[in-house]
Amino acid sequence: GVMERLGLGPEVLLQENPRLIYARLTGFGQTGKYAKSAGHDINYLALSGVLSKLGRKNENPYAPVNLLADFAGGGVMCALGIVAALFERARSGRGQVIDASMVEGVAYLSSFLWKSGKLGLWSEPRGENLLDGGAPFYETYRTSDGKFMAVGAIEPKFYNQLIKGLGLNLDELPPQMSFSDWPDMKKKFASIFAQKTQAEWCSIFDSTDACVTPVLSFDDAASHQHNKERSSFIKNDQGEISPRPAPVLSRTPAVPSCKRDPIIGEHTEEILLEYGFTKQEIAKLYSAKAIEFKNVKANL
């Protein structure tokens, strides 16, 4: 309701420009009991049902920072809605309003969880299923140097490669999908991974299809050979590293800026002048604390 109070709601603006695409990104959506309530990623994740599935066995549900609801269920799904509306407008010539709720966005992203429950993938309590830490072959393990390896050897042919790399004999182990044996197998795998460094395990598994990879820090990810070969990370003129824009388009790839990130308020005056505001109007906005300035140039 904030934009309506400002007189800039979609009904007003769409009357001025029927082709306008008006995206509304909120936590709980434009209607419903919580529509005007405050919240954060963890709250939206909780209301979607997804948070109940995340976390270790016998532990509290665990929110993976704020990636799922804020950025995936919110930002990405809203952007997808805008793209879909643009595509539709090319046919109809009409714009529309996008009601992007982070609760619904992350819930829709989790459709796989909702629809695969009857397949046996999520029939057990949290932390005891195939993909949530229950399986010994879909888990992270600590190495002798305090780092970690990620194991995702689900298919039998990949699992066989994992067993071989660990120096075990498949014939002497219980069946891969013997759920009752999973806890003991996890202990066995953990004791073996703890005997070598991360680099040593990489030398064993890098040339295989065992689906075993190192858990990399940000610094290590940027310097990893595979990521370097693809230029997956970029460095700005301040030496700061960040991911390259993705996905990569063949004909019109993104051209990332190599300048440092702007400071809040750094370009306020420049942009407002460009859009036709006078210096007097800008000064009045600043006095009213409606805008912020930040002078990053040294005054000598």
Side-chain angles (χ1 to χ4, degrees), residues 125-155:
R126 181 176 62 251
E128 298 181 35
N129 298 279
L130 181 67
L131 301 178
D132 64 0
F137 48 85
Y138 203 89
E139 179 61 286
T140 56
Y141 293 99
R142 183 184 291 270
T143 58
S144 64
D145 54 348
K147 297 182 180 181
F148 295 89
M149 298 297 290
V151 177
I154 298 176
E155 292 81 357

Side-chain angles (χ1 to χ4, degrees), residues 90-113:
R91 299 181 177 187
S92 68
R94 299 171 59 195
Q96 55 188 308
V97 180
I98 298 164
D99 180 0
S101 155
M102 296 186 199
V103 173
E104 294 168 357
V106 74
Y108 186 55
L109 281 174
S110 71
S111 296
F112 168 69
L113 306 186

Side-chain angles (χ1 to χ4, degrees), residues 221-243:
S223 61
H224 190 275
Q225 181 182 354
H226 174 80
N227 295 332
K228 287 176 67 176
E229 289 174 357
R230 287 184 52 81
S231 301
S232 299
F233 294 86
I234 56 177
K235 185 180 294 187
N236 67 12
D237 56 12
Q238 304 291 305
E240 299 167 332
I241 298 173
S242 61

Side-chain angles (χ1 to χ4, degrees), residues 267-288:
H267 302 116
T268 302
E269 184 176 21
E270 176 185 340
I271 291 171
L272 291 178
L273 287 171
E274 182 180 325
Y275 275 87
F277 286 80
T278 65
K279 282 188 174 289
Q280 292 74 20
E281 289 171 328
I282 295 173
K284 187 178 292 186
L285 288 170
Y286 180 70
S287 298

Side-chain angles (χ1 to χ4, degrees), residues 4 11 56 102 112 121 126 152-153 188 204 207 246:
E4 281 79 2
E11 293 79 8
R56 293 288 184 179
M102 296 186 199
F112 168 69
L121 295 179
R126 181 176 62 251
K188 183 185 288 289
I204 291 173
S207 59

Side-chain angles (χ1 to χ4, degrees), residues 46-59:
L47 203 64
S48 73
V50 176
L51 185 56
S52 71
K53 299 291 186 182
L54 306 178
R56 293 288 184 179
K57 178 181 178 181
N58 297 327
E59 293 184 7

